[in-house]
């Protein structure tokens, strides 16, 4: 047992990271447009990014060349809803055209409704602390579903609430760059979860084609230090630990997927809330890069953390086994088919003298992680797809443009696209349906 014929080999992106055109065709400003100054390395911003807004046809043709079976993109809320209750038809048309282009290329579109760039008008009245945001997100969701669901069946409500809540409002690393006390973080948590539940319900009730719905938390699980039952149980318990902070796994997934309130949120969520939050989901999506053993957390130090471990340019330890163990732990707990919505490597890429971009470290990373994905599938865990992060180099939030994750190299001065060696390797893997991994 390995990858079936319907396996959704793909790649991913996020609107603010690739689109550019930050103030064109009626788009409103988001928190990453308005608040990022002074918080991004080298003073960079996403105003132009990869100019995907104007170059999407070229980018889809590259996806087709690679043989991608799917593409996960996100819709920009401030592009579609630049003011409260105002729908920007030109902004919406971009996504209609993008989906048409994908479908015509034989690529399954996967739509993420929220990937971090909250509209400024929502932020100014309290954003995720204000329950009014829930209603406006419902309206936004309905508009996008009405526009795209004739051709989109895969829907992801929210991307990485751990990050846009934890990094945005708790440690201040991401927009809106706030450091709030845990009591306010819990208020935000409740609003975000209710927003997910309402959006999932809107999708289910209004989609024109049978929808498949999930959300995309991040999940850098703990990896056992050896194959003993004791080590495996310890890693599973650490991966699924219950803490009153937004970075842990069950903090988000237990209420949303299981309809269960973790101990850490029993002072925040009510049973009435759970009736809204806990909507039927069709898959468990998650984004995975490294292992929590190597994340620098003070709780437990893995004795295997030694000087000179292989790391990406994000300083994340390369640990392919996390793909196996995260998938196994998540499936055992949540009993939903797995969809890898992000996995990839930031590398020090540049165009070399021969005009090509050679990235052997990324190629090795991709193959090693996919081998672990194949292994967990052979052990009986159902996995429906894999989305490499990212289709192209892009604006990596507060890191600016130095951290290059892409299968495609982007020269940000000329916007020239160059396929990296790993892109061709991935295309070969897709053609063989992973048979030789």
């Amino acid at each position: 047992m390995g990858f079936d014929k319907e396996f959704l080999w793909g790649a991913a992106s996020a609107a603010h990271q690739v689109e550019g055109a930050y103030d064109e065709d009626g788009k409103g400003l988001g928190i990453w447009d308005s608040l990022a100054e002074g918080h991004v390395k080298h003073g960079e911003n996403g105003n132009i990014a990869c100019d995907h807004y104007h170059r999407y046809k070229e980018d889809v043709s590259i996806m087709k060349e690679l043989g991608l079976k799917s593409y996960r993109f996100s819709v920009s809320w401030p592009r579609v809803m630049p003011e409260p209750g105002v729908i920007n038809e030109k902004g919406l048309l971009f996504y209609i055209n993008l989906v048409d282009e994908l479908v015509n290329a034989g690529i399954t579109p996967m739509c993420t409704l929220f990937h971090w760039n909250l509209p400024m008008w929502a932020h100014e009245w309290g954003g995720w602390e204000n329950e009014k945001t829930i209603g406006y997100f419902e309206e936004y969701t309905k508009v996008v579903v009405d526009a795209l669901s004739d051709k989109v069946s895969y829907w992801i409500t929210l991307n990485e609430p751990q990050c846009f809540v934890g990094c945005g409002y708790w440690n201040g690393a991401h927009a809106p760059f706030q450091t709030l006390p845990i009591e306010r973080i819990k208020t935000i948590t409740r609003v975000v979860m209710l927003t997910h539940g309402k959006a999932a319900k809107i999708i289910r009730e209004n989609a024109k084609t049978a929808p498949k719905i999930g959300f995309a938390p991040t999940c850098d699980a703990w990896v056992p230090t050896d194959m003993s039952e004791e080590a495996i149980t310890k890693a599973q318990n650490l991966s699924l630990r219950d803490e009153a902070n937004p970075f842990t796994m069950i903090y988000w997934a237990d209420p949303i997927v299981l309809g269960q309130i973790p101990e850490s949120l029993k002072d925040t969520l009510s049973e009435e809330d759970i009736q809204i939050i806990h909507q039927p989901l069709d898959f468990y999506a998650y984004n995975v890069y490294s292992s929590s053993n190597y994340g620098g957390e003070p709780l437990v130090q893995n004795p295997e953390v030694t000087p000179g471990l292989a790391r990406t340019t994000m300083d994340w330890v390369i640990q392919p086994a996390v793909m196996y163990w995260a998938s196994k732990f998540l499936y055992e707990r949540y009993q939903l088919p797995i969809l890898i919505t992000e996995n990839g490597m930031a590398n020090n890429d540049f165009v070399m003298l021969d005009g090509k971009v050679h990235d052997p470290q990324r190629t090795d990373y991709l193959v090693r992680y996919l081998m672990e994905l194949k292994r967990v599938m052979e052990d009986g865990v159902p996995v429906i797809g894999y989305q490499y992060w990212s289709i192209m180099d892009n604006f990596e939030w507060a890191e600016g443009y130095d951290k290059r994750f892409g299968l495609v190299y982007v020269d940000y001065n000329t916007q020239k696209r160059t396929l990296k060696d790993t892109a061709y390797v991935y295309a070969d893997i897709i053609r063989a349906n992973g048979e030789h991994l």
Side-chain angles (χ1 to χ4, degrees), residues 365-376:
Y365 177 105
L366 175 71
V367 171
R368 286 176 187 264
Y369 276 73
L370 287 177
M371 287 172 65
E372 292 294 325
L373 189 62
K374 184 177 184 180
R375 183 165 76 96
V376 81

Side-chain angles (χ1 to χ4, degrees), residues 230-252:
E230 180 183 7
I232 293 170
T233 299
K234 180 180 178 181
Q236 188 169 25
N237 289 340
L238 286 167
S239 297
L240 303 173
R241 65 194 187 277
D242 180 10
E243 292 180 46
N245 79 63
F247 288 108
T248 55
M249 192 186 306
I250 71 170
Y251 181 96
W252 297 98

Side-chain angles (χ1 to χ4, degrees), residues 39 137 143 159 184 259 275 382 396 398:
H39 295 280
F137 196 88
V143 168
N159 182 76
R184 291 176 67 183
Q275 295 303 311
E396 186 49 42

Side-chain angles (χ1 to χ4, degrees), residues 318 320 345 359-369 422:
I318 297 172
M345 176 188 174
D359 58 340
Q361 290 90 348
R362 180 178 291 105
T363 300
D364 187 81
Y365 177 105
L366 175 71
V367 171
R368 286 176 187 264
Y369 276 73
T422 300

